Amino acid sequence: KSLNKIFAIGLLIVATVPHESGNRYISDRKRREEALKLIVEGTASKTGQEFFQSCVQYLAEILGIRYAFITECANLQKTRVRMLSFWKDQNFSENLEYDLAGTPCDEVITTGQYYCYPDNIIAQFPDDADLVDLKARSYAGIPLIDTTGDVIGHIAVLDTHPMIDDETRKLVLKIFAARAGAELERKITDIALQKSQEQTENLLLNILPKTIADRLKTDTSAIAEQFEDVTILFSDIVGFTPLSAQMQPTELVNLLNEIFSTFDQFSDKLGLEKIKTIGDAYMVVGGLPVKHPNSAEAIAQMALEMQSSITHLQCRYGPTLQIRIGINTGPVVAGVIGIKKFSYDLWGDAVNVASRMESSGLPGKIQVTETVYERLKHQFHFEQRGPVEVKGRGEMMTYWLVG
């Protein structure tokens, strides 16, 4: 649609240019028609970098000049631009960024108007070292405008000879600028859309495991999977309630954020899956939704690191701040249920037992079931606690993980 619109505008421009006499009018009209043909036919199927390169090359050819380039604004203040393509000496030169101050491009971007300097450009902009390096004598530039009327870049030509500042040159630049502006706006929109999608994806991955998030994109029905061998850890901050009475609410939240952010780092490092936090309780699991070759070992390691991190915090908050941890291994069902504010969760007897290991434990201790002990007794140090009454299960032999 944008190409058709540009083509229609171009035809109107060609048709409404005041008639001139003789061969000059025929020559100018031919150049305008040639510009239309090149920009519509030569770049119609091109996008992105390929389009911008074609654009500057065709522009240089039709105007018979040495340099042509397209830029985009590189900052919100529009004091700096970034080259999208630069045609130099019959080749594409390296793209770069430059500040607009002291350059003829500054006037084009700042005013949003066409500017032409037919000769002696260096004398008018003595601080522009690039003009000297290019041995430029003449310049013409026009802004790229988006559909809201905002300047988003510009297109310009330079030459080592004087150039005629005529209506034809201006109209040819207008034709190319219309197409280039549309393509640049599309590029900016695509980048913004991609960033938005990435932010949405990252937010979703902060809530759900990647494999589950990917499934929910195409299937919104309940997800439930059986996992035969996972290791579950529950923890609770002991002494948090009396500590909260001594702290401002914001301080309390900051403390919890510091603790749980540290736990999250441990979880990521060890390849574990954080399930949830409830108040000052933290739950993490190893072995799902992707199988973990050493989930029990990783959970045990995390428990010890969690314990150590709380010990360091005692220097600031006192010895009453401690952590109680419980661990169990077994089969679970995991998935997502419901249609609002959903979360990934676990169900099963193994989960309940892990929770009981935490609640029946002692401050500063890591209590594990006999199943965990048998799995890890050759890799970690344990102390037998003995039989413990576990709600819903009766007496169970448990152990302390000590190192």
Side-chain angles (χ1 to χ4, degrees), residues 52-99:
F52 294 123
Q53 288 186 342
S54 297
C55 191
V56 293
Q57 182 179 356
Y58 291 150
L59 184 57
E61 288 176 0
I62 200 166
L63 292 180
I65 46 86
R66 192 167 182 180
Y67 310 115
F69 58 93
I70 298 175
T71 73
E72 63 177 335
C73 294
N75 59 5
L76 293 175
Q77 296 77 22
K78 299 177 185 176
T79 59
R80 189 173 176 82
V81 292
R82 181 185 304 112
M83 289 278 192
L84 296 172
S85 188
F86 185 17
W87 180 254
K88 176 183 177 183
D89 298 329
Q90 301 298 309
N91 283 295
F92 297 107
S93 182
E94 181 181 358
N95 294 342
L96 50 85
E97 286 190 20
Y98 64 93
D99 291 321

Side-chain angles (χ1 to χ4, degrees), residues 25-35 62:
Y25 167 70
I26 296 172
S27 175
D28 286 351
R29 183 181 179 90
K30 184 177 180 182
R31 287 169 69 189
R32 292 192 292 271
E33 290 174 347
E34 200 174 320
I62 200 166

Side-chain angles (χ1 to χ4, degrees), residues 270-285:
L270 294 165
L272 303 172
E273 190 68 43
K274 173 187 175 181
I275 300 301
K276 58 186 172 184
T277 59
I278 302 174
D280 58 353
Y282 188 96
M283 178 184 179
V284 64
V285 64

Side-chain angles (χ1 to χ4, degrees), residues 220-238:
T220 57
S221 61
I223 295 174
E225 295 177 284
Q226 177 83 27
F227 296 90
E228 296 301 329
D229 186 40
V230 301
T231 303
I232 310 112
L233 179 154
F234 280 91
S235 71
D236 184 66
I237 308 298
V238 183

Side-chain angles (χ1 to χ4, degrees), residues 357 367-369 383-386 388 396-400:
M357 287 298 100
Q367 183 171 226
V368 307
T369 59
E383 293 176 0
Q384 187 181 81
R385 183 185 187 188
V388 173
M396 293 184 68
M397 181 65 70
T398 67
Y399 298 79
W400 300 122

Side-chain angles (χ1 to χ4, degrees), residues 253-305:
V253 171
N254 288 337
L255 173 58
L256 268 182
N257 183 62
E258 181 181 356
I259 292 172
F260 288 163
S261 295
T262 301
F263 292 176
D264 288 346
Q265 290 171 7
F266 296 155
S267 175
D268 288 343
K269 180 181 70 174
L270 294 165
L272 303 172
E273 190 68 43
K274 173 187 175 181
I275 300 301
K276 58 186 172 184
T277 59
I278 302 174
D280 58 353
Y282 188 96
M283 178 184 179
V284 64
V285 64
L288 59 74
V290 178
K291 289 185 178 180
H292 191 300
N294 302 295
S295 63
E297 291 92 329
I299 286 287
Q301 183 63 41
M302 177 160 180
L304 293 169
E305 293 191 17

